[in-house]
Amino acid sequence: MTAELVRGQNHPLSQARLEIRVSAGKPIVAGATVGGADGTVRGVEGVAHPGAPTLPGLEVSRQAAADHRLAVDLDALPDDVHRLSVLLALPVGVGGPLSFGAVAAPFVAVTGLDGTEVASYTITGLDAESAVVALELYRRQDAWKVRAVGQGYAGGLAELLTDQGLPQARQLASSINDAVASGVARSVAAPPSRTQDGDRTRQTAAPAPRPDQSGSPYGTSPGTSPTLPGGYPASPPPTDPSAVPPPSAPTGGPVDYSHPGRRNAAPPPPPPTAPPSAPGRPAQPVAGDATGWSMEERLYNQVWGMFEDLARTVASYRSAVDFAESRMDKELDQVLSDPRSRIGGQADAAREAARAKHDQLVDQARQSLDRDMAQLAAEAGVVEPALPAAYARWDNPVWHAYRVPMEMPMAMRLGDLHLPESEQLTIPLLARLPLERGIWVDAGRAGAADGSFADAHDLRRLALETAVSHTARLLAVHPPGEFTVHVIDPAGSGVQALAPLVQTGVLAAPPAQGAAGVAEALGRLTQRVDLVQMAVRGGASDALPPGFDTAQQLLVVNDFPHGFDDRAVTQLRYLADEGPAVGVHLMMVADREDASAYGPLLDPLWRSLLRLTPVPDDHLADPWVGHAWTYEPPLPPPGSQVLTQVLRQVAETRRAWDR
């Protein structure tokens, strides 16, 4: 639960890696100082500002912006640092406001890396001040806390830094102002105002806390489809699309493509081959234009920022169309309600005027949507080629240079998402690693998104091929020896689809067949879960049996419930519930109707798994703005050998590693 602080109030911090998010409605400068227990800053080397944005454990924005994110790692701060102060100031000499009394009250939030707000503070009561100490993070007896400060300075940065104990305060303030002025052409404009008070700042490109107990980014409930992370952004727009105001008429000026929640840090400079943006034109999209401690994390956050942008712009368009239609209906009702104007030329003119207003509003909304789509398509055009293998499609050239990684990535691609208004614009669906819940590839009868009906046999084949694709990617993104795959194929019906896994030798053993094979595989993994749980609970993780495989385990189950008795079904449910916490994961290829004889007994099993489909289908629901997203599975291109080649390399690296 977020602690909403008032001036002078403090709150404990339980996480070491944090983000400090700032929003002021107008471009401001954000910085930070680090000091000792007495609060004084030793010198200019203890100040992070746009001219010198990084210190050990701290990174601030490189330019003035309406929204900022400051990255903080408390464990990486030097031992003699006991206090970190967050500074805000209005830029000098750029034609902006001269005091905080002329802008909206700045809002500051301390969040975890997943977007969860820990504490927030709205800095009120500012008038003539042009610089302010917003928050301070301080250490007491090896425990960190955050305190709302809100101390303003009418003398600007120079007075603030002097109060921090810096003898070179005026020179440093001047250099900061010079750095900001030199980058003003790249500063980000204020985000559009919102109609709901207080809903203007809490945006994030990283996923928010999961809505279900399993901690997955995709929540489910009985009888419903999985839901996408509406909180990858922390403060979503209203879930009722009708609450979103219709877009105003275009003004003719360009619109900055950047997402408001990602305007906190200066993006890397464009490649030498990319011409710089002309003054007054939108900045060219850049891969990695998001916060993060690595390029991989920046791209991950940028992808989910694009998801937010697409969701928001489509919600605005739909709301505007609904508004236009309701307005036209209201005006037509008024015409029909008066018998004197119900017929004749006056009525016809009123109807034509109502339809003309409707068409005008819809055209304006469409222009805004097309403009935003073009900007997002431009961003996707530079982001997609820059994605690492774990995030990339199978047709991405990055797979031609694939090498087995030495570290597990933070996420992997499960497919693509798009909306009806954006058929050509797809957003990668990324899931955090290690997997926090199992996957269910639904082999049931379903209609494809294009209206064609898939044959039941073809659907089962496609479902298993989709599972093999997911399994191959999981093997490819894990270091050698850190991911083991087991397969249960009771009737042997998946021989052809499983061939890439079997022939390359990446499986721990041949696929288990028959009731005996099912019982043996489930019993072995169930025993493993029990052993690891006992070791962890007893604090004796080093007491596991000799030769115990410490790698993450994946069990792929095909053709469920064929070959499963009641005991096997109970073990499967146990693995789905308890396995992920100890590194045992489940991937089921099944038709729920085939298991209907079990009735509600298996409902918890289906709910615990993330449902994906082997054909494009709009079953993924977004609770953020109410969209139904169409999911497309991540299959290799027809005739491509990339999946087999990657698996061969995984197998060869594993054999070399085991020598």
Side-chain angles (χ1 to χ4, degrees), residues 335-343:
V335 173
L336 296 175
S337 64
D338 187 352
R340 294 171 298 178
S341 60
R342 192 172 298 167
I343 58 176

Side-chain angles (χ1 to χ4, degrees), residues 306-392:
M306 292 164 60
F307 170 85
E308 295 176 42
D309 288 341
L310 181 56
R312 181 179 293 106
T313 192
V314 171
S316 179
Y317 169 73
R318 292 179 180 178
S319 176
V321 172
D322 289 343
F323 173 80
E325 291 177 351
S326 64
R327 175 173 175 170
M328 181 179 67
D329 291 342
K330 181 179 179 181
E331 292 179 350
L332 291 176
D333 287 343
Q334 290 176 347
V335 173
L336 296 175
S337 64
D338 187 352
R340 294 171 298 178
S341 60
R342 192 172 298 167
I343 58 176
Q346 184 179 358
D348 293 340
R351 293 187 187 96
E352 290 299 324
R355 294 190 180 96
K357 291 178 183 177
H358 169 271
D359 294 343
Q360 181 184 12
L361 288 173
V362 172
D363 288 345
Q364 290 177 357
R366 189 72 214 189
Q367 291 174 17
S368 180
L369 176 68
D370 292 343
R371 179 190 61 209
D372 293 344
M373 289 293 184
Q375 293 165 353
L376 278 171
E379 186 173 10
V382 298
V383 169
E384 189 70 44
L387 295 177
Y391 300 175

Side-chain angles (χ1 to χ4, degrees), residues 231-254:
Y232 262 92
S235 152
T239 55
D240 178 9
S242 64
V244 182
S248 58
T251 60

Side-chain angles (χ1 to χ4, degrees), residues 13-21 57 70-74 110-113 116 118 137 144 146 293:
L13 298 174
S14 59
Q15 305 177 54
R17 296 182 65 183
L18 303 165
E19 283 186 347
I20 300 174
R21 308 182 182 191
L70 284 63
V72 178
D73 186 348
L74 298 176
V110 180
T111 75
L113 295 185
T116 306
V118 178
L137 280 58
W144 283 90
V146 58
W293 296 90

Side-chain angles (χ1 to χ4, degrees), residues 7 88-90 97-103 106 123-133 150-157 159-160:
R7 185 172 183 177
L88 307 178
L90 294 170
L98 301 179
S99 68
F100 278 107
V103 301
I123 310 173
T124 58
L126 298 178
D127 187 9
E129 296 88 347
S130 58
V132 61
V133 178
Q151 177 62 53
Y153 297 86
L157 268 177
E159 183 181 352
L160 185 154

